[in-house]
Amino acid sequence: MINWRRHLYTLLFYLLVPLLLMRLWWRGRKASGYRERWWQRFGFVAVVDAPDKPKPLWIHAVSVGETIAIAPLVERLLGDYPALPIIITSMTPTGAERVQALFGERVLHYYCPYDLPDVICRFLARVKPRGCLIVETELWPNMIAGCQRAGVPVMVANARLSERSAKGYLRLAGLAKQMLSGLTLLVTQHQSDADRFQQLGMPADKILVSGSIKFDIEIDAASQAQGRLLRQELGNRFTVILASSHEDEEDQLLATLSPLWSHYPDLLIMIVPRHPERFESVCQTCFGYSANVVRRSEMSRITPGNTTRIYLGDTMGDLMKLYAAADVAVMGGSFSNVGGHNPLEPAVLGLPVIMGPHYFNFSAISDAMTQAGGMLLVPNMAAVAELLPSFVEVPSAVCEAGAKAASYADSQRGALDRLYQEVTARLL
């Protein structure tokens, strides 16, 4: 039975469609990918007409982070089930680029259909998936209802739900409960996530707490080797990386760290913006603090005599290489009200992590890593500047904190194996 709440939600979504199209066009001014394959967002994808082949598995990973998180599972499925077609959908061009970079022609990529009944119905009729695996918490009422009507089981992998997000869902408690009832299984990262989902009406017998699959990161040897080469090119200088930064965070970091150059002239600051459409504006911000800026996209070599002060990572897919060339990681998104980004990536490489006050996206992991001694939680960027001299002057402190971060990350592995067992049992 269709709930009136979903009727109202659907009506409002239809009214927003013109604005969504305008937004795609607007964002396409700086990131052309938003204007590409826009029809796929309305379910107009290639028709699967091969009765002699297995039905595909549909995996939805909204953007880059979710794609990277689910990549090990996809690789395992491709290896163990070579005849199984896999379709990955995402919302953003950067997510699409990551899928292409990781899997090439081994999987099929589409932009995710908008959450409208006719669009979802069209997509499902053309794709005919055997099951749907949603990565983290990208939950859409009509998508889940449409899959339920079509007999397509839906699992959620690596689910997380912060207190902030839970409060938002509680405002639409009836709609959220109906949506969650359509799930086959919800695999959460932590017990606290499971508790919040239960408060929203998710049956306890449909929840499995397995830990975060992001702990099962495998860093390929090539990325580590390239990072070490870059490290040598940098002159083995003390390097701080601001990773996945958002608007104003670069300015915050440079304003507080640039005065340290008078005491530590070899200090190098790496900045890797989260969104490629901001590369140019961030570059201008960097030049506002130093003329000695090198852009990775230009393949420029570090200037002789260690005069380069800012290294801008303005390319996609290179973050792990840049982590491998750094000493300390400052997590972007945690100094603006975004909620922080994945601290496990630098941790597995043995980097101590500094996290700002807004880390609700990774609260459980951050609190545990802090308790283990691999992370430092700070109230603002000024505190980062206060911490750095002790790291620069006492290299053993960096090594010790980095080792604790790596040890914590390694101790939490195993969620990927548990998820793999559930996916193969329920969706294949």
Side-chain angles (χ1 to χ4, degrees):
M1 183 176 67
I2 298 179
N3 191 293
W4 67 267
R5 296 177 181 85
R6 187 153 60 82
H7 271 308
L8 179 59
Y9 159 82
T10 300
L11 174 61
L12 293 174
F13 205 124
Y14 274 116
L15 293 174
L16 287 173
V17 167
L19 293 178
L20 292 174
L21 291 173
M22 290 176 61
R23 185 170 182 265
L24 288 177
W25 177 84
W26 183 260
R27 297 195 71 176
R29 295 178 311 137
K30 294 183 178 181
S32 61
Y34 282 102
R35 297 182 181 179
E36 297 172 358
R37 297 187 284 150
W38 58 269
W39 53 88
Q40 293 179 356
R41 300 178 189 268
F42 291 90
F44 291 103
V45 298
V47 177
V48 175
D49 188 17
D52 58 324
K53 292 185 179 180
K55 290 184 177 181
L57 174 64
W58 173 20
I59 298 176
H60 177 55
V62 61
S63 192
V64 175
E66 293 78 8
T67 302
I68 293 173
I70 206 65
L73 178 73
V74 176
E75 287 288 358
R76 188 176 296 187
L77 290 172
L78 289 170
D80 292 350
Y81 299 89
L84 174 68
I86 294 179
I87 293 173
I88 300 180
T89 59
S90 58
M91 289 290 196
T92 66
T94 51
E97 291 168 6
R98 201 78 221 116
V99 171
Q100 174 63 32
L102 288 170
F103 307 112
E105 301 299 319
R106 294 181 297 157
V107 306
L108 188 61
H109 175 271
Y110 293 131
Y111 282 113
C112 187
Y114 285 140
D115 195 42
L116 297 167
D118 63 313
V119 173
I120 296 297
C121 182
R122 184 182 303 117
F123 180 86
L124 292 174
R126 291 173 175 238
V127 170
K128 300 181 178 65
R130 65 193 306 126
C132 176
L133 181 67
I134 299 172
V135 185
E136 297 196 0
T137 319
E138 184 75 7
L139 302 178
W140 295 98
N142 287 320
M143 176 192 289
I144 294 171
C147 286
Q148 193 175 20
R149 283 195 304 271
V152 177
V154 181
M155 273 182 60
V156 181
N158 213 44
R160 57 187 172 89
L161 188 65
S162 66
E163 287 187 27
R164 179 182 180 182
S165 296
K167 289 178 181 177
Y169 278 113
L170 281 171
R171 297 190 187 100
L172 302 169
L175 182 62
K177 183 176 181 179
Q178 183 192 36
M179 176 177 63
L180 292 171
S181 69
L183 296 176
T184 301
L185 184 68
L186 183 75
V187 184
T188 67
Q189 297 185 21
H190 307 285
Q191 184 60 49
S192 58
D193 299 307
D195 293 342
R196 292 181 190 118
F197 277 111
Q198 279 190 257
Q199 290 172 7
L200 293 174
M202 184 70 187
D205 61 352
K206 288 188 175 183
I207 300 176
L208 172 67
V209 181
S210 73
S212 174
I213 60 174
K214 292 187 175 182
F215 285 103
D216 293 280
I217 301 170
E218 296 295 339
I219 311 301
D220 63 279
S223 293
Q224 295 187 62
Q226 291 178 44
R228 287 192 293 268
L229 286 174
L230 177 59
R231 174 79 179 184
Q232 293 175 11
E233 190 176 348
L234 296 173
N236 289 315
R237 300 158 59 189
F238 190 90
T239 302
V240 178
I241 181 170
L242 172 61
S244 297
S245 58
H246 290 257
E247 189 170 359
D248 190 52
E249 289 185 321
E250 302 89 4
D251 202 35
Q252 291 182 50
L253 182 81
L254 291 169
T256 54
L257 295 195
S258 57
L260 295 179
W261 282 325
S262 60
H263 299 286
Y264 308 102
D266 283 346
L267 175 66
L268 183 74
I269 300 172
M270 269 186 192
I271 295 177
V272 187
R274 178 73 173 180
H275 300 116
E277 57 265 33
R278 297 187 57 244
F279 287 161
E280 291 300 325
S281 62
V282 173
C283 183
Q284 294 305 312
T285 298
C286 292
F287 274 111
Y289 287 91
S290 174
N292 299 318
V293 178
V294 169
R295 301 184 63 161
R296 183 169 179 79
S297 62
E298 296 176 351
M299 303 303 290
S300 303
R301 296 189 64 81
I302 302 300
T303 53
N306 290 342
T307 59
T308 298
R309 287 187 161 169
I310 303 173
Y311 187 91
L312 178 60
D314 59 345
T315 54
M316 296 300 295
D318 288 338
L319 183 56
M320 297 308 296
K321 300 170 189 174
L322 300 183
Y323 276 139
D327 293 285
V328 174
V330 178
M331 295 312 304
S334 66
F335 294 87
S336 59
N337 200 24
V338 172
H341 291 294
N342 187 6
L344 298 172
E345 294 173 339
V348 296
L349 286 169
L351 271 67
V353 181
I354 300 176
M355 185 77 80
H358 307 288
Y359 61 96
F360 50 82
N361 287 338
F362 294 89
S363 57
I365 289 174
S366 296
D367 289 340
M369 193 183 297
T370 299
Q371 188 173 8
M375 177 182 286
L376 293 163
L377 297 176
V378 297
N380 48 47
M381 283 292 188
V384 177
E386 294 173 3
L387 284 171
L388 280 186
S390 61
F391 279 146
V392 176
E393 295 171 7
V394 188
S396 60
V398 178
C399 294
E400 182 180 353
K404 290 178 178 178
S407 177
Y408 168 72
D410 188 61
S411 70
Q412 302 298 309
R413 291 180 180 271
L416 182 64
D417 290 333
R418 292 186 284 273
L419 177 62
Y420 179 82
Q421 292 171 6
E422 295 297 333
V423 169
T424 53
R426 297 171 186 265
L427 301 185
L428 301 189

